[in-house]
Amino acid sequence: MPISTANFYTVNHSNHPIKTIGILGGGQLGLMLAESALPLGLRCTFLEDAPNCPARLLGKVYSSEQLDDFAKVCDIYSLEFENTPLNSAKFLEENTGLFPPSKALFIAQDRLNEKNLFNELDIKTVPFLAVNSRDELQTACENLGLPLVLKTTRGGYDGKGQFVIKNDEQIDTAWAELGDATKTAPLIAEGFINFSREVSIIAVRSKTGEIRYYPLVENEHYNGILTKTTAPAPNAEHLTAQAQSNIKKLLEHLDYVGVLTLELFVTDDGLIANEIAPRVHNSGHWSIEGAVCSQFENHMRAVAGLPLGDTSVVKPSVMLNVIGQYPSMADILALDGVHYHGYDKEERTGRKIAHITIMPTDTEKLDETVTKVVELLPNKMGL
Ligand code: AMP
């Protein structure tokens, strides 16, 4: 049974003026934000149409039809899901303030806006072209060369809405699969990057403009879904300055408050920006145990106008996503230095339902413990 949320709104003895934070979205990111908010005397409430969402465990959930009621109970707003309709975001922003600002959503909701901003800020990104028709797709294939990645500009996640065109014969198939999306927005054709690895950087900016960076982490995907994050990314010190400079430009340009994530490809020529997420991110879950102050707590601190916390690493760690099916939690927890976070979601193919952070007392045993955890996962997702 979900915890009763009634007391959250009747008793809150915090002496900080901001007490209730309205979060757009109610998934596991919302749940973990609310967890980190509780000790700070901050309470979260959620705007989410799925009543069974993970965040229901720690805060009241309002449907989008209840936007006005939601707006009345919150001191300020934030988000854990960037595809909230821009109009609702702007309404709340004008009401008492949305952190991050809606212009960050405007950018992150559309891959073309994102890539154009990277160019404007001199952040190296993939070569790309907008595609509005079958003819324009042909032109893009000729100009960018094959292979290329054709993507919907809006609404794609976990590798959905993408087609890698490897040869001329696949152009028609790709158009048949994705062309329909051009009725609402153009597609984007991106040059295919032969990267050696994928990394991300998470940073947080306060209301006073202070910025703190988490270390670069390395990410592994299976069928477009994040499966593993290694924190910090091994042998990445030489990439840190470029990653920090990139994300700093974005944070300052957007007058951003809160946690921002930038996903990057590592190539022989340095880092190439892929996309941003204007929120806490799956590649930062390790920070709950692995950093002095987690991405979730730092986001809450920033949004509530509190001082930021230390982003230093406590100990190297690896985070594994549990996808589709739950393992035996008892077997996982029997291993030294292993932390389990379930999201109270139904099992479903391809769905992120929990994550595990591995940081054994003896750091030398990290790889060995990761192997033991992987053996216990019913769904290994290529690990
Ligand atoms: P995205 O939704 O843009 O994060 O893409 C999902 C995954 O597809 C990325 O994590 C990469 O592994 C791969 N990918 C995306 N864009 C490209 C690209 N332009 N070149 C090569 N691989 C890509």
Side-chain angles (χ1 to χ4, degrees):
M1 280 297 288
I3 297 166
S4 161
T5 55
N7 286 345
F8 291 170
Y9 305 103
T10 51
V11 181
N12 183 344
H13 297 297
S14 159
N15 57 12
H16 188 64
I18 292 174
K19 291 186 166 41
T20 305
I21 302 182
I23 308 276
L24 310 184
Q28 61 265 20
L29 300 178
L31 174 65
M32 289 184 272
L33 283 171
E35 278 166 9
S36 69
L38 279 172
L40 304 179
L42 301 168
R43 304 293 180 255
C44 294
T45 184
F46 301 91
L47 189 70
E48 165 68 60
D49 283 330
N52 260 341
C53 63
R56 78 188 189 286
L57 296 172
L58 284 180
K60 187 165 174 175
V61 177
Y62 292 82
S63 71
S64 46
E65 283 175 7
Q66 299 170 303
L67 182 65
D68 288 334
D69 296 336
F70 170 74
K72 276 184 209 139
V73 298
C74 302
D75 297 319
I76 45 161
Y77 309 96
S78 186
L79 57 101
E80 61 100 60
F81 173 69
E82 63 270 37
N83 287 322
T84 300
L86 213 51
N87 284 347
S88 315
K90 283 188 174 151
F91 166 74
L92 297 172
E93 185 166 42
E94 282 155 23
N95 188 350
T96 50
L98 173 70
F99 307 98
S102 65
K103 63 182 166 186
L105 290 192
F106 172 77
I107 298 294
Q109 285 180 357
D110 187 302
R111 292 183 191 274
L112 277 170
N113 292 346
E114 213 167 45
K115 298 278 185 320
N116 285 326
L117 180 62
F118 290 154
N119 277 344
E120 187 187 325
L121 298 178
D122 235 355
I123 296 171
K124 221 157 143 192
T125 187
V126 300
F128 66 94
L129 284 170
V131 169
N132 285 287
S133 64
R134 172 67 180 79
D135 280 353
E136 285 184 11
L137 177 57
Q138 188 69 37
T139 311
C141 292
E142 284 157 19
N143 290 349
L144 298 173
L146 297 183
L148 66 68
V149 191
L150 185 67
K151 301 179 180 177
T152 55
T153 43
R154 305 178 73 86
Y157 68 98
D158 286 347
K160 294 187 175 67
Q162 303 196 11
F163 195 110
V164 180
I165 304 179
K166 298 189 183 114
N167 52 50
D168 287 338
E169 288 72 57
Q170 289 182 316
I171 300 177
D172 277 331
T173 322
W175 181 252
E177 207 163 286
L178 300 181
D180 233 18
T182 55
K183 285 181 188 141
T184 48
L187 300 174
I188 182 170
E190 297 180 7
F192 189 89
I193 303 298
N194 277 316
F195 54 81
S196 54
R197 27 188 200 147
E198 292 186 74
V199 294
S200 56
I201 184 161
I202 294 178
V204 57
R205 185 168 181 269
S206 72
K207 286 185 177 168
T208 59
E210 184 195 356
I211 297 175
R212 296 202 185 194
Y213 307 92
Y214 288 92
L216 262 182
V217 297
E218 181 167 338
N219 300 319
E220 292 172 37
H221 298 85
Y222 185 75
N223 289 340
I225 304 175
L226 182 73
T227 51
K228 177 178 178 182
T229 295
T230 304
N235 309 316
E237 293 76 19
H238 62 295
L239 301 168
T240 298
Q242 190 191 351
Q244 289 189 354
S245 149
N246 286 350
I247 201 164
K248 181 172 193 279
K249 286 182 196 171
L250 290 161
L251 287 164
E252 289 179 345
H253 176 85
L254 294 167
D255 201 16
Y256 199 95
V257 172
V259 162
L260 176 70
T261 308
L262 174 62
E263 295 181 39
L264 303 137
F265 299 130
V266 181
T267 71
D268 292 344
D269 300 328
L271 296 172
I272 294 190
N274 176 27
E275 63 179 352
I276 59 167
R279 53 171 166 77
V280 288
H281 193 256
N282 196 172
S283 68
H285 290 3
W286 63 274
S287 67
I288 298 176
E289 291 89 9
V292 176
C293 184
S294 77
Q295 62 163 351
F296 299 101
E297 180 175 341
N298 255 332
H299 185 73
M300 286 290 103
R301 288 187 186 209
V303 165
L306 291 162
L308 299 182
D310 187 350
T311 50
S312 309
V313 171
V314 175
K315 209 182 263 191
S317 61
V318 166
M319 188 280 318
L320 300 179
N321 272 332
V322 176
I323 296 167
Q325 267 178 287
Y326 288 106
S328 155
M329 188 174 70
D331 289 348
I332 299 273
L333 292 179
L335 299 167
D336 172 60
V338 177
H339 303 270
Y340 183 88
H341 295 258
Y343 308 148
D344 202 32
K345 283 163 101 171
E346 297 280 342
E347 294 183 332
R348 192 193 297 160
T349 309
R351 192 181 214 197
K352 295 172 184 169
I353 51 179
H355 77 262
I356 296 164
T357 300
I358 303 153
M359 41 184 294
T361 317
D362 178 358
T363 302
E364 296 287 311
K365 295 205 166 139
L366 181 55
D367 289 347
E368 186 187 311
T369 315
V370 170
T371 306
K372 286 184 186 159
V373 172
V374 170
E375 277 167 15
L376 293 171
L377 293 179
N379 212 339
K380 308 221 177 331
M381 303 292 287
L383 290 170

